[in-house]
């Protein structure tokens, strides 16, 4: 990947990430998140990893973002009060998590490259033969999370 492409994509990604965090509307934050996820997929394409780019687009940009917008529509909160916004504690917690993750990444030993994922055929065969049970259990877990989120977001009619 050339330096110019990297810096352009990095600038767009940081701009979209700031849009997610700083936007006052949850819907606009979802749109900024879509831009950040697509830019991440473009990073994968620039690194000649088309399988990862396709997974990024299909799962995250398509699936997760659709789930987020669906949750926003289902909760349908009309008042945009700032009672839940606490930027300084949130920034401190984010910095703490970043430092913890960076310390773990620094301790990892360098491993060998994945290799062979260009076409994705080997990964697909492994996923649907050897790892089919964990794959299906993950889908059941995600379905349970969706139902749990809907149960929490649902308003009871007997409460004021």
């Amino acid at each position: 990947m050339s330096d110019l492409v990297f810096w352009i994509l990095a600038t767009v990604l940081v701009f979209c990430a700031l849009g997610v965090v700083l936007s006052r509307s949850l819907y606009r934050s979802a749109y900024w998140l879509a831009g950040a996820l697509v830019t991440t997929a473009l990073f994968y394409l620039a690194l000649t990893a088309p399988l990862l780019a396709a997974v990024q687009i299909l799962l995250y940009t398509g699936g997760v973002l659709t789930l987020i917008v669906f949750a926003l529509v289902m909760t349908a909160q009309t008042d945009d009060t700032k009672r839940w916004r606490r930027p300084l504690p949130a920034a401190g917690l984010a910095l703490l998590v970043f430092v913890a993750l960076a310390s773990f990444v620094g301790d990892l030993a360098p491993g060998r490259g994945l290799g062979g994922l260009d076409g994705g055929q080997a990964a697909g065969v492994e996923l649907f033969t050897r790892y089919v049970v964990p794959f299906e259990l993950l889908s059941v877990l995600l379905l349970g999370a969706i139902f749990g989120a809907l149960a929490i977001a649902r308003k009871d009619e007997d409460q004021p």
Side-chain angles (χ1 to χ4, degrees):
M1 169 178 6
S2 73
D3 288 343
L4 179 65
V5 172
F6 171 79
W7 286 110
I8 290 172
L9 288 175
T11 304
V12 171
L13 184 59
V14 168
F15 184 73
C16 288
L18 285 173
V20 171
V21 176
L22 299 176
S23 180
R24 294 190 183 268
S25 168
L26 291 175
Y27 293 102
R28 288 189 181 145
S29 290
Y31 286 125
W32 285 114
L33 180 62
L37 293 173
V38 168
T39 305
T40 304
L42 292 176
F43 262 114
Y44 291 140
L45 280 179
L47 292 170
T48 64
L51 174 67
L52 292 177
V55 168
Q56 178 74 23
I57 294 290
L58 290 174
L59 289 181
Y60 292 108
T61 309
V64 173
L65 199 64
T66 301
L67 184 63
I68 288 172
V69 171
F70 178 71
L72 289 175
V73 168
M74 290 300 292
T75 57
Q77 297 195 3
T78 56
D79 58 270
D80 287 333
T81 60
K82 293 184 180 181
R83 62 182 175 161
W84 298 108
R85 293 192 181 223
R86 308 258 192 270
L88 291 178
L93 182 63
L95 183 65
L96 182 69
V97 169
F98 177 77
V99 168
L101 289 175
S103 69
F104 286 124
V105 170
D107 294 339
L108 292 176
R112 64 176 180 80
L114 295 175
L117 286 180
D118 290 332
Q121 183 177 3
V125 168
E126 286 289 317
L127 180 65
F128 292 111
T129 56
R130 185 173 175 191
Y131 297 107
V132 70
V133 174
F135 180 76
E136 291 299 326
L137 288 175
L138 180 63
S139 64
V140 170
L141 176 71
L142 290 174
L143 188 63
I146 291 171
F147 287 146
L150 287 175
I152 290 171
R154 191 188 83 198
K155 294 181 183 177
D156 292 330
E157 282 77 24
D158 58 341
Q159 292 183 357

